[in-house]
Amino acid sequence: RQPGSKALPIIMVTARGEEADRVEGLESGADDYMVKPFSPGELAARIRAVLRRAGSGAPDGGTGALEAGGIRIDLARHRVTRSGVDIHLGPTEFRLLKALMERPGLVLSREQLLDRVWGRDIHVESRTVDAHVRRLRKALSAGGGDAIRTVRGAGYAFEVSEK
């Protein structure tokens, strides 16, 4: 593995199914080993399991925190600060900020945010996202400018403004 890809999960998909092959694949660094043929459902379940085991440590580089534009999310302590000042967020606003900060600069649609923040099994109106973004903006405004950009007809993005 390359140094920058150390936290990247690997699933080996191969036709070689002997025990020695599986052991060699796992000992060489694979997180899972699948022998063909397999169903797409099994592959999807294994991908979810590997990502779950990898945890949320991948986007933050293993620090347990996300930081950009003077905003810092301490994932382990569930705390947010902006320029060193504590920002008090509700659980939904916390998850919303985390989702946006994990992909700085990228526009996430309301539907993508609903999936990431509320989950796929919850039926919530897409305009609910707008209300929570408004609350998040109000909470973050105490420490400086607006870190969340609205893209009309597309969604929202976390804007990194390193001054």
Side-chain angles (χ1 to χ4, degrees):
R1 291 186 181 188
Q2 298 292 322
S5 66
K6 200 170 213 167
L8 185 66
I10 295 174
I11 299 175
M12 291 186 76
V13 177
T14 178
R16 300 184 67 160
E18 296 296 318
E19 179 184 3
D21 297 323
R22 291 191 309 266
V23 169
E24 183 180 349
L26 292 167
E27 287 185 349
S28 68
D31 296 292
D32 200 351
Y33 190 99
M34 292 187 65
V35 179
K36 295 189 279 185
F38 54 84
S39 72
E42 180 185 5
L43 176 61
R46 287 179 180 259
I47 289 170
R48 284 190 300 272
V50 167
L51 290 174
R52 198 170 42 248
R53 286 193 302 268
S56 61
D60 66 15
T63 64
L66 296 170
E67 192 165 359
I71 299 171
R72 184 175 199 281
I73 299 179
D74 184 331
L75 299 169
R77 291 182 178 85
H78 215 270
R79 290 181 59 192
V80 177
T81 57
R82 183 165 197 178
S83 303
V85 176
D86 281 338
I87 304 291
H88 301 287
L89 299 178
T92 303
E93 286 76 22
F94 182 90
R95 290 191 311 270
L96 180 59
L97 180 60
K98 178 180 177 280
L100 290 165
M101 284 184 70
E102 285 175 339
R103 291 156 191 83
L106 296 180
V107 177
L108 296 175
S109 69
R110 287 181 183 94
E111 290 74 25
Q112 289 172 311
L113 288 168
L114 283 170
D115 284 347
R116 293 178 194 282
V117 176
W118 283 266
R120 294 178 189 271
D121 299 330
I122 303 295
H123 298 289
V124 179
E125 292 292 321
S126 65
R127 289 302 200 182
T128 301
V129 175
D130 300 341
H132 286 279
V133 167
R134 217 173 8 262
R135 286 186 198 148
L136 180 57
R137 280 185 166 136
K138 183 177 179 184
L140 293 176
S141 68
D146 195 1
I148 301 169
R149 179 173 57 104
T150 300
V151 180
R152 288 185 73 133
Y156 298 97
F158 180 80
E159 288 296 313
V160 179
S161 59
E162 305 291 344
K163 294 180 182 176

